Amino acid sequence: ATTTYLYSAENNLLIGNITQNKNVGIFVGSSTATTVDFSSGKTTFNKPIYSGNSEISTLFPYDVSKYRTIGTSTLERWYCSANINSTLNSATLSTNVLRFVPFIISNRTTVDRIGIEVAVSGSSASNARLGIYDVSGGTIPNNLVEDFGTVDISLAGAKSININRTLNAGLYYLVMVHNSAVAPQFRIIAAGQGNNILGSPSTLGTGIGNLITASYAYAVLPNNCSGLTLTVATTSAPAIYLRFSS
């Protein structure tokens, strides 16, 4: 019989000799296996796994992002990074600034729309460009996953782009940059309303990081962030929305 080993490598817990679309039995103190399903990049357990006397699933914090509405058949819902139960206001956001907003994906999923809301219109023929980046070093935006293109911000209203992007579980950054000569107002995630991904500086104080910014002359999005001067900001972040299709 072939033995499959469970082992650790740095911060990852790995199972050796595993290929996608295979089930693996894990034996924890008994002869009854807990099956792990690796199909489609997802991991599910058909029985509890225990750490000491506690079921592991109960040791993790409640993750609301697992329960986002899928598709449009019943209730169509769009999601931004706000981690609050209050009204999203609007604010002016200056031109030629990349604004990276952290967004958590808890399960492998597909998104079919990305959008923003323009509360007060920008100048004639102005646009905002939207995209998504992966991370390095735990929380730092790294490589461009996709530049989704532009939306017209010369008129107020909800603006969206049809997309088709499958994302594995992890932390990503949704990004926006615009070129309006007259600074428009966008629907925003105000300071203190976002997920606490970026923490506080070494001086501590009252400010909690809300987004990462970088000066950038409006253009297609850079392939990576290595040439950018990134700054953690406590100011308002654009509310960049995704709609989930699966």
Side-chain angles (χ1 to χ4, degrees):
T2 300
T3 302
T4 299
Y5 296 95
L6 185 69
Y7 64 98
S8 63
E10 296 183 355
N11 295 325
N12 300 314
L13 185 64
L14 307 174
I15 299 177
N17 303 321
I18 297 303
T19 57
Q20 199 174 36
N21 301 318
K22 298 292 184 181
N23 289 343
V24 176
I26 297 180
F27 296 83
V28 184
S30 72
S31 59
T32 303
T34 295
T35 300
V36 185
D37 179 9
F38 287 87
S39 62
S40 304
K42 297 181 179 180
T43 305
T44 57
F45 299 89
N46 72 340
K47 294 179 182 177
I49 299 288
Y50 289 87
S51 174
N53 294 322
S54 300
E55 184 180 337
I56 283 181
S57 63
T58 65
L59 302 180
F60 294 104
Y62 182 75
D63 184 5
V64 68
S65 60
K66 288 183 178 180
Y67 302 100
R68 292 171 175 141
T69 299
I70 300 297
T72 62
S73 59
T74 304
L75 294 173
E76 180 177 359
R77 309 300 295 171
W78 294 53
Y79 297 90
C80 66
S81 297
N83 190 27
I84 56 164
N85 184 22
S86 64
T87 301
L88 295 181
N89 295 317
S90 60
T92 298
L93 300 177
S94 58
T95 189
N96 293 329
V97 176
L98 286 167
R99 291 176 169 86
F100 298 89
V101 186
F103 195 97
I104 297 171
I105 299 290
S106 295
N107 297 292
R108 180 178 168 90
T109 190
T110 300
V111 291
D112 65 0
R113 299 287 191 280
I114 185 170
I116 56 174
E117 184 184 354
V118 180
V120 177
S121 60
S123 55
S124 175
S126 57
N127 294 291
R129 184 172 291 274
L130 305 175
I132 186 170
Y133 283 78
D134 63 15
V135 300
S136 68
T139 58
I140 307 302
N142 186 25
N143 293 317
L144 178 67
V145 175
E146 189 167 348
D147 183 332
F148 294 121
T150 63
V151 292
D152 175 15
I153 60 171
S154 64
L155 296 174
K159 313 289 182 172
S160 65
I161 303 170
N162 293 355
I163 63 177
N164 182 20
R165 169 58 65 172
T166 298
L167 300 168
N168 290 321
L171 174 64
Y172 295 87
Y173 279 86
L174 304 180
V175 65
M176 184 192 83
V177 60
H178 76 84
N179 65 352
S180 178
V182 177
Q185 288 190 16
F186 297 90
R187 190 68 55 202
I188 54 95
I189 301 167
Q193 290 184 326
N195 289 302
N196 185 15
I197 301 296
L198 295 171
S200 300
S202 59
T203 54
L204 302 181
T206 60
I208 294 176
N210 202 32
L211 75 161
I212 290 177
T213 64
S215 296
Y216 185 74
Y218 181 83
V220 296
L221 298 177
N223 289 328
N224 58 67
C225 297
S226 59
L228 302 174
T229 301
L230 301 175
T231 301
V232 176
T234 59
T235 52
S236 298
I240 307 174
Y241 296 82
L242 294 177
R243 192 180 78 176
F244 292 76
S245 61
S246 66

